[in-house]
C-alpha cells in the first residue's frame, strides 16, 4: 500500500533494495492506494521496479488482467 502509517510503499521499496539489492531482477511491484495523486503517479512512473499504481478497492478480475498485460503471469 502506498500510504501506510509507519512506512509508506516507497520507504518499503528503499528498505527492500538495501536488504535485497537484486530483488528487482526477480520481482516487480504493483502498488495500491485509496487515492491516486499526480505526485504519487510520477514517483511510480520513475521507479524501475513498480509496474503500476492501482486504486482500492482491488478488483480481482482487473488485477488478473493487469498481471497478464504486464507479463507477470501467463494467461490460462
Amino acid at each position: 500500500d502506498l500510504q501506510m502509517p509507519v512506512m509508506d510503499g516507497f520507504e518499503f521499496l528503499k528498505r527492500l533494495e538495501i536488504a535485497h539489492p537484486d530483488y528487482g531482477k526477480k520481482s516487480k511491484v504493483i502498488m495500491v492506494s485509496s487515492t491516486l495523486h499526480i505526485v504519487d503517479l510520477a514517483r511510480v512512473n520513475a521507479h524501475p521496479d513498480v509496474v503500476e499504481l492501482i486504486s482500492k478497492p482491488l478488483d480481482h478480475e482487473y488485477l488478473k488482467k493487469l498481471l497478464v498485460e504486464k507479463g507477470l503471469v501467463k494467461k490460462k
Side-chain angles (χ1 to χ4, degrees):
D1 197 320
L2 187 58
Q3 302 296 326
M4 295 295 290
V6 176
M7 180 187 322
D8 71 18
F10 291 108
E11 180 64 27
F12 170 80
L13 290 177
K14 283 182 201 172
R15 292 185 186 196
L16 181 61
E17 223 171 289
I18 292 167
H20 303 283
D22 291 336
Y23 88 93
K25 294 179 183 174
K26 299 175 185 174
S27 304
K28 294 297 174 193
V29 176
I30 296 174
M31 288 186 155
V32 296
S33 181
S34 57
T35 59
L36 299 180
H37 296 283
I38 194 157
V39 173
D40 294 332
L41 291 170
R43 290 179 74 191
V44 163
N45 291 333
H47 198 288
D49 300 322
V50 180
V51 296
E52 191 79 25
L53 174 62
I54 56 178
S55 64
K56 294 190 282 186
L58 293 177
D59 178 274
H60 186 258
E61 291 302 316
Y62 175 75
L63 186 56
K64 286 189 334 187
K65 179 182 170 196
L66 179 64
L67 292 171
V68 170
E69 286 176 1
K70 297 294 181 178
L72 302 173
V73 297
K74 292 182 181 180
K75 188 174 181 176
K76 292 182 180 183

